[in-house]
């Protein structure tokens, strides 16, 4: 029996933003200790296909709405053709989840409408665990992010948690135009990556000495870097720099869902604040992120978003018109609301028995369509991995960011 799911409150936006040359995709690369055996990887993928029907799935368009449908067959494991090739509408309808291999790398790519970073991490960690079981016959304990493939997906894992927590008074946060990094018309044919690796302890020490989190510290360094790019590239009046920081709502609202369940904080650096020290800016960002993380604030935004998409007027609109309206709204009020997305997935805590076999994990995220930068980060096995991805050729932002962060870690800011 094929599993079907109503799309969640975030999925419709990612479906609306599909273009011929652009799809919002996560790409995780796991570097293993030995070359990959594709036939064993295919068996592992087949197990995860049965275990995660909402993630190894596609989106079937209907007249009034899309439906998330488990793929008829597991995705076929293929040799890696290149990084983040745009998914076609036909591919998204059939299966918006890919699995590749290259030398000793296992690579998974998933369309963001399927899940957020939490669910995607569970899928690739579980594939890696099943592969290692088949290859080496080792026993691997289960528990997030490694799921038990001997059981079916539970109702808690499949729920739309936005609907579950949409009973508060709706709260609408007005949009505000932010500085947009140069390169809007850049080609989407190739993604440039700037990976950075730092010891977690070094970042923790730098953050704690300023009384902030790693996310607040790095967001402040990025905002200061974007402001410097703006000063170098624009002769017009300076605009605010806003960093879009995804928030995992599971930390505030009890949920085991493996589908999308995120909102965003938007810490802001005003033009007149360019004289602030990085410590002062990081402390300001820390306060703003904590304010956005208040439970009543998040509950109100959830309620507003769900109410908008649950209205009788919205329900009777054809799905094509819904997507068109959301695409138009996002163009003017969504993407222009921030300068860059800054995603921190936290610690990838694999079972200890897996660590000798998984040498490295990398995250690549599709840059945004009209403000062509994105940044994803997480920690694994004592190292903090940060990857700035872009469409434009020029790497000005990465150079400035690296110089500023290195200065912070050396105490030279």
């Amino acid at each position: 029996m094929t599993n079907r799911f109503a799309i969640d409150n975030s999925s419709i936006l990612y479906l609306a933003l599909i273009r011929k040359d652009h799809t919002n995709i996560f790409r995780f690369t796991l570097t293993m200790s030995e070359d990959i055996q594709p036939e064993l990887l295919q068996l592992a993928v087949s197990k995860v296909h049965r275990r995660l029907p909402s993630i190894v799935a596609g989106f079937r368009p209907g007249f009034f709405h899309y439906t998330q449908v488990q793929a008829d067959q597991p995705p076929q494991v293929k040799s890696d053709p290149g990084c983040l090739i745009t998914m076609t509408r036909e591919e998204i309808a059939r299966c918006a989840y890919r699995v590749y291999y290259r030398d000793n790398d296992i690579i998974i790519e998933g369309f963001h409408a399927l899940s957020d970073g939490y669910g995607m991490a569970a899928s690739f960690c579980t594939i890696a665990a099943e592969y290692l079981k088949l290859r080496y016959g080792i026993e691997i304990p289960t528990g997030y992010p490694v799921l038990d493939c001997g059981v079916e997906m539970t109702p808690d894992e499949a729920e739309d948690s936005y609907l579950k927590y949409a009973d508060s008074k709706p709260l609408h946060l007005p949009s505000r135009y932010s500085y947009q990094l140069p390169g809007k018309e850049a080609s989407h044919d190739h993604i440039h990556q700037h990976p950075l690796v730092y010891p977690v302890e070094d970042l923790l020490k730098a953050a704690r000495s300023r009384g902030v989190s790693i996310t607040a510290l790095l967001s402040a360094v990025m905002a200061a870097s974007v402001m410097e790019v703006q000063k170098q590239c624009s002769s017009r009046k300076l605009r605010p720099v806003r960093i879009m920081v995804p928030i995992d709502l599971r930390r505030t609202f009890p949920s085991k869902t493996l589908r999308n369940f995120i909102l965003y904080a938007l810490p802001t650096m005003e033009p007149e604040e360019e004289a602030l020290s990085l410590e002062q800016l990081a402390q300001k960002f820390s306060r703003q992120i904590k304010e956005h993380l208040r439970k009543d604030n998040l509950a109100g935004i959830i309620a507003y978003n769900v109410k908008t998409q649950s209205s009788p007027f919205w329900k009777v609109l054809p799905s094509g018109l819904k997507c068109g309206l959301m695409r138009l709204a996002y163009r003017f009020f969504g993407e222009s609301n921030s300068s860059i997305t800054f995603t921190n997935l936290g610690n990838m805590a694999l079972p200890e028995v897996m660590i000798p076999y998984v040498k490295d994990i990398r995250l690549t995220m599709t840059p945004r369509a009209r403000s062509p930068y994105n940044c994803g980060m997480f920690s694994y096995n004592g190292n903090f991995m940060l990857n700035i991805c872009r469409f434009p050729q020029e790497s000005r932002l990465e150079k400035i960011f690296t110089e500023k962060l290195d200065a912070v870690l050396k105490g030279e800011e």
Side-chain angles (χ1 to χ4, degrees):
M1 179 179 176
T2 301
N3 291 279
R4 294 174 176 269
F5 309 88
I7 61 174
D8 62 55
N9 192 252
S10 289
S11 295
I12 182 62
L13 175 61
Y14 298 114
L15 288 162
L17 296 179
I18 295 170
R19 298 185 349 186
K20 278 187 176 181
D21 63 348
H22 186 269
T23 318
N24 287 284
I25 303 173
F26 288 98
R27 178 183 172 103
F28 291 96
T29 302
L30 293 87
T31 300
M32 313 300 277
S33 56
E34 297 183 271
D35 282 357
I36 303 304
Q37 294 186 6
E39 65 280 5
L40 295 183
L41 180 57
Q42 185 66 65
L43 291 174
V45 171
S46 297
K47 288 189 175 184
V48 174
H49 169 249
R50 295 190 294 271
R51 177 63 178 85
L52 294 174
S54 71
I55 292 181
V56 189
F59 294 88
R60 309 288 169 80
F63 186 77
F64 290 111
H65 55 79
Y66 280 86
T67 303
Q68 197 165 336
V69 182
Q70 181 182 17
D72 294 332
Q73 300 291 330
Q76 293 301 299
V77 172
K78 300 177 182 178
S79 177
D80 182 28
C83 184
L84 290 174
I85 296 172
T86 301
M87 290 185 178
T88 64
R89 291 187 180 274
E90 292 76 14
E91 188 176 4
I92 289 170
R94 185 175 63 255
C95 182
Y97 191 91
R98 301 161 168 165
V99 183
Y100 301 129
Y101 68 94
R102 181 185 60 244
D103 300 327
N104 59 335
D105 288 342
I106 293 174
I107 302 153
I108 74 104
E109 292 184 352
F111 180 33
H112 203 332
L114 293 169
S115 184
D116 53 26
Y118 181 92
M120 286 296 176
S123 74
F124 83 76
C125 290
T126 305
I127 286 175
E130 290 299 322
Y131 173 80
L132 291 175
K133 289 180 188 177
L134 292 167
R135 178 100 188 244
Y136 301 106
I138 60 175
E139 292 295 324
I140 298 176
T142 57
Y144 184 87
V146 174
L147 306 180
D148 183 356
C149 285
V151 300
E152 294 184 351
M153 191 174 199
T154 67
D156 286 346
E157 292 173 334
E159 77 175 11
D160 182 347
S161 292
Y162 292 112
L163 295 178
K164 183 177 179 179
Y165 293 105
D167 56 355
S168 296
K169 181 180 179 181
L171 172 65
H172 175 54
L173 298 180
S175 297
R176 184 182 179 198
Y177 191 85
S178 306
Y179 174 67
Q180 302 297 291
L181 286 157
K184 292 182 182 179
E185 304 305 321
S187 168
H188 288 214
D189 294 336
H190 181 70
I191 292 173
H192 302 274
Q193 301 184 59
H194 189 84
L196 298 166
V197 181
Y198 296 95
V200 172
E201 282 303 315
D202 289 356
L203 288 172
L204 276 174
K205 181 179 178 181
R208 286 171 177 166
S209 69
R210 293 161 177 83
V212 301
S213 67
I214 289 178
T215 298
L217 175 63
L218 294 178
S219 298
V221 176
M222 179 58 75
S225 302
V226 173
M227 185 65 77
E228 188 164 328
V229 170
Q230 180 179 191
K231 289 170 63 180
Q232 293 178 7
C233 296
S234 177
S235 58
R236 295 182 294 182
K237 182 179 178 181
L238 294 178
R239 294 187 178 275
V241 171
R242 305 182 89 189
I243 307 298
M244 181 175 281
V245 181
I247 297 168
D248 183 356
L249 293 172
R250 299 167 187 84
R251 298 177 182 178
T252 306
F253 303 95
S255 173
K256 295 180 180 178
T257 188
L258 294 173
R259 303 176 69 191
N260 284 298
F261 194 41
I262 53 171
L263 285 177
Y264 300 92
L266 288 163
T268 304
M269 180 181 183
E270 303 293 346
E272 60 270 20
E273 294 175 329
E274 59 176 312
L276 290 179
S277 69
L278 276 170
E279 179 169 347
Q280 291 171 319
L281 187 60
Q283 289 171 350
K284 180 196 175 186
F285 272 30
S286 180
R287 292 191 297 271
Q288 289 184 329
I289 291 171
K290 287 177 182 177
E291 174 66 19
H292 289 143
L293 282 170
R294 278 185 21 233
K295 187 172 183 178
D296 60 334
N297 185 58
L298 295 173
I301 298 171
I302 292 172
Y304 178 84
N305 292 342
V306 170
K307 180 182 178 182
T308 301
Q309 294 189 21
S310 299
S311 70
F313 170 75
W314 183 260
K315 286 182 176 180
V316 300
L317 290 179
S319 57
L321 182 55
K322 288 175 184 171
C323 286
L325 290 172
M326 293 199 74
R327 187 162 50 246
L328 188 64
Y330 187 75
R331 177 175 179 178
F332 289 103
F333 305 111
E335 199 159 275
S336 62
N337 199 32
S338 61
S339 306
I340 188 171
T341 304
F342 214 59
T343 302
N344 187 352
L345 298 185
N347 183 36
M348 295 288 181
L350 294 182
E352 286 188 18
V353 69
M354 291 180 65
I355 291 176
Y357 300 94
V358 182
K359 300 299 185 184
D360 189 23
I361 303 175
R362 298 186 298 283
L363 168 64
T364 310
M365 300 180 69
T366 310
R368 302 190 304 181
R370 297 176 60 82
S371 179
Y373 280 82
N374 209 333
C375 184
M377 66 202 90
F378 61 92
S379 60
Y380 173 66
N381 198 24
N383 285 322
F384 194 90
M385 322 287 191
L386 188 149
N387 195 7
I388 303 172
C389 305
R390 72 182 193 279
F391 289 128
Q393 288 280 348
E394 188 180 20
S395 58
R396 185 193 306 253
L397 175 64
E398 294 92 318
K399 291 176 182 176
I400 295 172
F401 176 83
T402 304
E403 288 173 1
K404 287 184 179 296
L405 183 54
D406 287 346
V408 167
L409 295 178
K410 292 175 183 176
E412 299 173 354
E413 63 171 290

